[in-house]
Amino acid sequence: MGSVSLAARLPLGAVLLLLGLGAALLAPIGSLVDTGILHLLGEDKELYGRQRVFGAVGWACSSYLVGWLIEDGGFYWMWIVFGITLVLFMVLLAASPVFVSDDGRRALSAEQRVEFRRQASFRAQASSIDD
């Protein structure tokens, strides 16, 4: 007996309910990401367009590459790329600064963010001088 997908075994109403639930949970993600980016940019909101452009360029390049890999090597490569990008995302997430105050309830003030950026810029300049 061959394997049958879960969606084929569920009644149509249950499938539609699950699809609707998934769509409802995924709908606000774009707005939440945009809000988070604007919050992290602080006073530098004019850089928002640059963030969006490089996000679109990255998406286009990765879509082309993954599409080519899947067409050339089959769906096996989709799982390889997924695993690699998942590990890369986790590493980048662990290395990202978290803007939380000492009391853990609110993000850093604008002055604290500016100071953090200044220190990061200074560290980058110092490391380039050492090279």
Side-chain angles (χ1 to χ4, degrees):
M1 182 171 160
S3 64
V4 178
S5 71
L6 177 62
R9 287 185 265 153
L10 289 175
L12 179 62
V15 172
L16 291 176
L17 178 68
L18 290 172
L19 286 173
L21 180 65
L25 293 174
L26 291 174
I29 288 178
S31 297
L32 290 172
V33 168
D34 288 344
T35 302
I37 290 171
L38 286 170
H39 181 73
L40 287 174
L41 288 174
E43 300 297 319
D44 301 323
K45 293 195 185 329
E46 66 275 359
L47 298 177
Y48 174 74
R50 186 182 304 172
Q51 296 291 322
R52 291 297 302 251
V53 165
F54 284 110
V57 169
W59 181 86
C61 292
S62 64
S63 294
Y64 177 77
L65 177 66
V66 171
W68 176 74
L69 281 172
I70 290 173
E71 182 180 343
D72 197 46
F75 280 101
Y76 172 77
W77 284 100
M78 176 182 68
W79 298 108
I80 300 294
V81 169
F82 174 73
I84 291 169
T85 54
L86 181 64
V87 168
L88 181 63
F89 173 74
M90 293 299 202
V91 168
L92 291 174
L93 185 63
S96 297
V98 178
F99 296 107
V100 178
S101 65
D102 291 335
D103 61 6
R105 294 186 301 161
R106 61 179 178 79
L108 294 177
S109 67
E111 295 83 18
Q112 290 168 323
R113 286 195 305 270
V114 168
E115 179 63 21
F116 178 81
R117 287 188 192 123
R118 187 187 65 72
Q119 290 175 359
S121 173
F122 176 75
R123 284 192 300 269
Q125 290 172 358
S127 68
S128 67
I129 291 171
D130 292 339
D131 294 338

